[in-house]
Amino acid sequence: MLLTDDAVSIEARYEPSPTLGAEPSGQLALVVGHGFSGALERPALRRVASEFQQRTAVITFSFRGHGRSGGRSTVGDREVLDLAAAVRWARRLGHRRVATVGFSMGGSVVIRQAALYGKIEEIQPLQDVHEGERTGRSPGRTDGVLGSAGSADGAAPAGATDGAAPDAVVAVSSPARWYYRGTAPMRRLHWAITRPTGRLVSRYGLRTRIDPGGWAVDPLSPVAAAPLIAPTPLLIVHGDRDPYFPLDHPRMLASAADPSTSELWIEPGYGHAETAASPDLLARIADWATAHA
């Protein structure tokens, strides 16, 4: 169990690669963020971890409100704190190189977490960055990391600068913007998130506990975060048969990102997130991360 900066317990699992040496300092660690309603023990995430583990060490975890993790899901907002805790854990285990790989909601989280915890000029709480996006003001920059969304006094949480920034980022099947309802699956998802009956169905049917309070201020969107990631390498992966997010989403992300440090893969025949990812695609993602982190 990991503890986030806002004191939420997160279940996590570390799996070293059986094909590499026992010394973690020479290995890349892939920290994997699942999609909405996923969890550490779900078969799709375990399959992803098994494929990645053939090439390098892997950390999987359940976002807040999912699986045996505490708290409630904020559907991509405070989940950046969960991912930061997992990245720090990889560093504490001895890994000098850490890449984050996120699927769907997890894809939006890895983009936002890399932007918020990268090289910036002035420590600010997440609320200030969210407010900056809403008002059009640019967030401040610092050499540390953004403070916790739960921080009352605006200071960064203790230990926030301790290894939370990833060395490479892979966003798979990620949305580019919030509130998208252009497909039937996304309309169903919005119903599950925003309606009391939908949240009950999510809790007992999907085993996902959603924060009923919603967002007080819209979080920094993935497309607004994408240009802040550079010089950290970014790979955007999307399927041309994704039933949730059409191809304008990955293209928006790619257009916003720094072209010198980012790549876009449009995968023929690929559907959505970890459930549809083929062994070949997962192997290529792991190889890209190994080469770029």
Side-chain angles (χ1 to χ4, degrees), residues 137-170:
R137 295 192 301 271
S138 297
R141 313 283 311 252
T142 181
D143 286 334
V145 299
L146 295 177
S148 165
S151 137
D153 58 4
T161 60
D162 184 18
D167 299 301
V169 180
V170 183

Side-chain angles (χ1 to χ4, degrees), residues 19-78:
T19 63
L20 300 177
E23 176 54 49
S25 63
Q27 293 186 38
L28 170 72
L30 291 179
V31 178
V32 185
H34 59 74
F36 180 78
S37 80
L40 187 152
E41 296 295 344
R42 294 291 175 90
L45 188 61
R46 298 271 41 89
R47 183 178 63 83
V48 169
S50 177
E51 292 291 342
F52 284 164
Q53 194 185 3
Q54 302 309 307
R55 285 167 167 75
T56 192
V58 182
I59 287 177
T60 48
F61 64 97
S62 296
F63 282 118
R64 61 186 62 205
H66 294 73
R68 288 189 293 270
S69 290
R72 294 182 178 181
S73 174
T74 62
V75 199
D77 181 8
R78 294 194 178 190

Side-chain angles (χ1 to χ4, degrees), residues 70-106:
R72 294 182 178 181
S73 174
T74 62
V75 199
D77 181 8
R78 294 194 178 190
E79 282 75 7
V80 296
L81 303 174
D82 310 344
L83 182 62
V87 172
R88 289 195 194 105
W89 187 37
R91 306 283 190 198
R92 291 197 300 271
L93 289 168
H95 290 278
R96 296 174 183 170
R97 297 184 300 143
V98 180
T100 55
V101 182
F103 295 87
S104 192
M105 181 188 77

Side-chain angles (χ1 to χ4, degrees), residues 152-266:
D153 58 4
T161 60
D162 184 18
D167 299 301
V169 180
V170 183
V172 185
S173 304
S174 174
R177 56 194 186 274
W178 304 135
Y179 303 112
Y180 178 72
R181 293 179 171 86
T183 58
M186 285 305 298
R187 289 191 288 273
R188 290 193 294 267
L189 180 60
H190 278 277
W191 175 81
I193 293 168
T194 61
R195 302 300 179 113
T197 303
R199 289 192 292 271
L200 280 174
V201 170
S202 178
R203 183 182 184 93
Y204 294 106
L206 302 177
R207 292 178 289 171
T208 301
R209 307 173 305 280
I210 301 170
D211 187 341
W215 294 337
V217 177
D218 287 356
L220 185 72
S221 69
V223 73
L228 305 179
I229 293 176
T232 301
L234 168 64
L235 173 62
I236 301 160
V237 181
H238 212 90
D240 65 358
R241 295 188 181 179
D242 192 310
Y244 286 80
F245 305 113
L247 292 177
D248 63 313
H249 285 261
R251 288 168 178 159
M252 286 177 65
L253 292 171
S255 295
D258 186 333
S260 68
T261 57
S262 62
E263 293 183 39
L264 171 62
W265 294 357
I266 300 296

